[in-house]
């Protein structure tokens, strides 16, 4: 390959390794599609004589660089050091994609799993690139933004399953945030053990000499000079019980102190970000009376008296002022959303920013580039009032700017 390139471009000095690296980079980064590569190959090798010359020169290059010949072939053959996707993996990926999209379409929005943040490795990028051509069929049949969002979310789930990323179940984050802290659970375990020990010691002091109770009492006084046969054992039991009760009181006070401090910390944090939400959380809920409710006939009569009688409104002079001011306003030019506009908006977005209600991060919109044209068309259609989808707010978090 290097000899053939030297004949075509004698003025360009390049080493064999540099040429092989550039070819491999073009094949991996998908700068040119298959049709463009085939056209360039036909232009570079117009005759069979030159093809034979290239084949004769190829063994000399591949003696030192065995991967160069594979890089020249259009179907990329994966070796042990490559991160591309082989044919049998493509079939497996297509099966996973079909299953994931089918599950996503039948899953309500609030029950979707939370997509994890996957590492930005070459292998993961290759998986996302390989999934792009498979999405074309689904996206062409998409009717609106909601269906497109469902397809992209299913594709993201398929990528996570293929690379082995763990997908948390729906509601996992809420469960974690409301779980008991580890420090509190440790203290509560100590309190439970101390209370159980107090019960055993009290039972032994009352005359219960069962082997299990006696064994627990001996373990409680292990390492001391106290013997159960001594006459002052009752006093020692009482002192031990009082000591445990004081520890329980101290541990309980520690839990209350930590809980109060955590509550104040959370309130201060909410106050800095959203004061309205803090004040709303501090409001006491209204106590509803348990008395008899209003009669339905009275309710109907009340609202009928307000809405059934026609009222003649007289427009004030300010209406003419507003109409005259609005007449001088220049209408806004029609908005045309192109795939380039969509790609630029997605490019400026943060990869792993917290998603909206649909749960789809910007990383997936950047990776699935085949969706840009479809999204541009559907957003353009959404500008028309008669076709605007109802849940359009799913997407405002991504392209509000």
């Amino acid at each position: 390959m290097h000899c053939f390139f030297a004949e075509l471009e004698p003025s360009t000095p390049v080493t064999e390794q540099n040429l092989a690296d550039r070819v491999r980079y073009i094949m991996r980064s998908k700068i040119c599609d298959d049709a463009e590569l085939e056209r360039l190959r036909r232009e570079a090798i117009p005759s069979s004589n030159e093809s034979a010359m290239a084949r004769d020169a190829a063994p000399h290059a591949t003696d030192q660089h065995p991967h160069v010949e594979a890089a020249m072939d259009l179907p990329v053959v994966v070796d042990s050091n490559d991160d591309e996707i082989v044919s049998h993996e493509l079939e497996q990926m297509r099966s996973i994609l079909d299953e994931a999209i089918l599950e996503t379409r039948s899953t309500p929005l609030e029950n979707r799993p939370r997509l994890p943040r996957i590492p930005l490795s070459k292998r993961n990028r290759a998986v996302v690139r390989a999934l792009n051509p498979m999405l074309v069929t689904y996206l062409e049949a998409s009717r609106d933004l909601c269906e497109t969002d469902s397809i992209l979310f299913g594709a993201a789930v398929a990528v996570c399953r293929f690379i082995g990323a763990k997908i948390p179940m729906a509601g996992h984050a809420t469960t974690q945030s409301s779980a008991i802290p580890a420090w509190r659970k440790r203290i509560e375990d100590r309190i439970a053990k101390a209370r159980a020990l107090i019960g055993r010691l009290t039972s032994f002091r009352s005359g219960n000499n069962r082997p299990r109770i006696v064994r627990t009492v001996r373990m409680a006084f292990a390492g001391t000079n106290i013997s159960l046969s001594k006459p002052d054992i009752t006093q020692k039991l009482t002192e031990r019980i009082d000591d445990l009760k004081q520890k329980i009181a101290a541990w309980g006070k520690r839990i209350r102190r930590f809980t109060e401090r955590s509550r104040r910390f959370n309130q201060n944090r909410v106050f800095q970000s959203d004061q309205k939400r803090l004040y709303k959380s501090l409001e006491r809920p209204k106590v509803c009376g348990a008395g008899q409710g209003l009669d339905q006939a009275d309710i109907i009569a009340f609202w009928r008296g307000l809405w059934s009688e026609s009222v003649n409104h007289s427009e004030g002079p300010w209406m003419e002022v507003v109409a005259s001011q609005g007449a001088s306003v220049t209408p806004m030019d029609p908005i045309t959303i192109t795939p380039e506009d969509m790609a630029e908006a997605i490019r400026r977005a943060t990869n792993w920013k917290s998603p909206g209600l649909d749960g789809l991060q910007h990383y997936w919109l950047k990776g699935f580039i085949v969706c840009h044209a479809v999204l541009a068309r559907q957003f353009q259609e959404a500008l028309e009032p008669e076709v605007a989808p109802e849940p359009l707010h799913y997407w405002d978090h991504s392209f509000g700017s």
Side-chain angles (χ1 to χ4, degrees), residues 49-67:
N49 294 332
E50 294 177 351
S51 301
M53 184 183 303
R55 286 193 298 268
D56 295 338
H60 176 70
T62 54
D63 290 341
Q64 297 180 357
H65 308 286
H67 302 300

Side-chain angles (χ1 to χ4, degrees), residues 90-123:
L90 292 176
E91 296 298 330
Q92 180 184 2
M93 188 183 302
R94 187 179 299 275
S95 175
I96 296 176
L97 176 64
D98 295 339
E99 181 181 357
I101 292 180
L102 184 62
E103 292 179 4
T104 305
R105 285 178 173 175
S106 59
T107 303
L109 194 67
E110 59 275 8
N111 294 338
R112 285 183 178 180
R114 182 171 58 87
L115 294 176
R117 178 173 179 173
I118 64 175
L120 299 178
S121 62
K122 292 183 179 179
R123 170 67 175 179

Side-chain angles (χ1 to χ4, degrees), residues 70-98:
M72 287 296 294
D73 296 332
L74 283 179
V76 179
V77 180
V78 182
D79 56 14
S80 59
N81 297 324
D82 207 342
D83 292 318
E84 296 293 340
I85 308 300
V86 294
S87 57
H88 69 88
E89 290 181 325
L90 292 176
E91 296 298 330
Q92 180 184 2
M93 188 183 302
R94 187 179 299 275
S95 175
I96 296 176
L97 176 64
D98 295 339

Side-chain angles (χ1 to χ4, degrees), residues 18 23 27 102 169-170 180 227 246 248 278 292 303 306 318 339 353:
N18 191 5
V23 171
M27 300 299 296
L102 184 62
M169 298 302 296
I180 300 177
S227 176
Q246 292 178 10
I248 290 175
L278 173 63
Q292 185 178 3
W303 289 107
L306 294 177
W318 63 272
K353 183 180 178 182

Side-chain angles (χ1 to χ4, degrees), residues 256-272:
R256 290 190 297 270
R257 184 173 66 252
F258 285 163
T259 303
E260 181 64 21
R261 179 185 177 279
S262 177
R263 184 182 64 85
R264 290 196 305 267
F265 176 80
N266 292 331
Q267 287 180 351
N268 292 336
R269 185 174 56 183
V270 174
F271 180 81
Q272 295 177 358

Side-chain angles (χ1 to χ4, degrees), residues 159-174:
V159 172
C160 294
R161 291 179 179 176
F162 184 81
I163 65 178
K166 185 177 180 181
I167 303 178
M169 298 302 296
H172 179 73
T174 305

